[in-house]
Amino acid sequence: MTVHFIGAGPGAADLLTVRAVRLIESCPVCVYAGTYIDDQILAHCPPGATLIDSQHLDLDEITDQLIAADQRGEDVARLCSGDPSIYSAVAEQARRLDAAQVSWDVTPGVPAYAAAAAIIGRELTVPELAQTVILTRTQAASTAMPETESLAYLAETRATMIIHLAIRRIRQITAQLTPAYGPTCPVAVVANATRPNERVLRGTLATIADKVEEAGLRQAAVIMVGEALHAEDFAESHLYGKRRR
């Protein structure tokens, strides 16, 4: 039996991959976070499937559910919002499943930052302006950040920065980024990307905190910072340039 960690995408059910849908349809047990996974996604579960909302369970309780399903001979669809490769706690769960000798695999999904970039219609890498994308978060009531990954330190690169799980700290974030990027650097905030209550805010490092606080955004938001978000006069890449045959 196998625990399938499945990227459920940013929210919209039609952004699930074909592989994800097939796995969900085949698993008699589905463990999901009710904060992010809605009924349209759960509708792919087979009739009579055991549905377990993990939003109020700790890591031990979640692992117990996964191991118990394995002992019953049942495959599990363990749904992760976005893509399991970042901020999904797959590493902690997989380590415990390995110790219990439970098989597992991972199916990628559409990450929230990719959905957010699509919504605002921007490429995050622009020739000769921004060729690097940094995915990061900040520390609040959560695990500590490595010393070499402070926002101020990362900002020195002036790369396009995507900040997850940090919308409640928007004012502190803008203060930390402004010295490197400058107060007029473009910022976009996308909350609840691809869902009916999707919200998009645009501004600069000088103005975005006021807009976020006025909108009352508290969770499920991606913060995007960098000149690529408003680039107009930039060089063209060599990707489709004329080449010698």
Side-chain angles (χ1 to χ4, degrees):
M1 298 299 104
T2 303
V3 174
H4 302 287
F5 292 100
I6 300 171
D14 59 357
L15 284 178
L16 287 169
T17 66
V18 173
R19 181 184 299 180
V21 171
R22 288 174 178 169
L23 285 172
I24 296 170
E25 290 174 341
S26 70
C27 290
V29 178
C30 178
V31 180
Y32 67 99
T35 307
Y36 302 104
I37 308 298
D38 64 17
D39 291 341
Q40 287 187 316
I41 292 176
L42 296 178
H44 292 293
C45 294
T50 300
L51 305 181
I52 302 169
D53 188 347
S54 65
Q55 66 175 311
H56 299 303
L57 303 180
D58 62 28
L59 186 57
D60 287 332
E61 292 168 332
I62 293 171
T63 305
D64 288 344
Q65 293 286 352
L66 302 179
I67 293 174
D70 179 77
Q71 292 173 341
R72 295 192 303 267
E74 297 176 325
D75 286 339
V76 180
R78 176 63 174 113
L79 303 186
C80 308
S81 61
D83 179 80
S85 65
I86 56 172
Y87 310 126
S88 65
V90 163
E92 297 99 303
Q93 294 170 78
R95 179 169 59 187
R96 292 177 179 226
L97 293 178
D98 286 341
Q101 298 185 319
V102 175
S103 297
W104 57 273
D105 59 27
V106 179
T107 294
V110 176
Y113 77 86
I119 289 165
I120 67 170
R122 284 291 174 175
E123 184 178 354
L124 301 179
T125 55
V126 174
E128 298 184 9
L129 181 64
Q131 292 290 280
T132 300
V133 179
I134 296 174
L135 308 177
T136 191
R137 65 172 182 84
T138 63
Q139 181 182 354
S142 57
T143 52
M145 293 290 290
E147 293 182 3
T148 56
E149 295 183 15
S150 70
L151 287 184
Y153 179 80
L154 296 176
E156 292 297 327
T157 66
R158 293 183 60 82
T160 304
M161 188 176 294
I162 310 297
I163 307 172
H164 293 77
L165 308 172
I167 194 62
R168 299 188 186 192
R169 297 175 58 81
I170 186 65
R171 199 163 291 280
Q172 296 95 318
I173 289 169
T174 55
Q176 292 174 315
L177 297 183
T178 297
Y181 285 97
T184 62
C185 181
V187 181
V189 172
V190 180
N192 301 303
T194 77
R195 302 178 191 180
N197 59 339
E198 173 186 293
R199 188 77 182 272
V200 179
L201 302 178
R202 298 172 186 263
T204 66
L205 283 174
T207 65
I208 197 66
D210 287 339
K211 293 183 178 182
V212 167
E213 291 174 355
E214 181 180 354
L217 301 185
R218 301 290 291 169
Q219 65 178 19
V222 174
I223 304 166
M224 300 181 285
V225 181
E227 295 296 337
L229 303 181
H230 192 59
E232 295 180 356
D233 184 16
F234 55 87
E236 294 189 348
S237 71
H238 294 281
L239 182 61
Y240 297 111
K242 293 182 179 179
R243 307 174 187 175
R244 292 181 180 179
R245 299 293 182 180

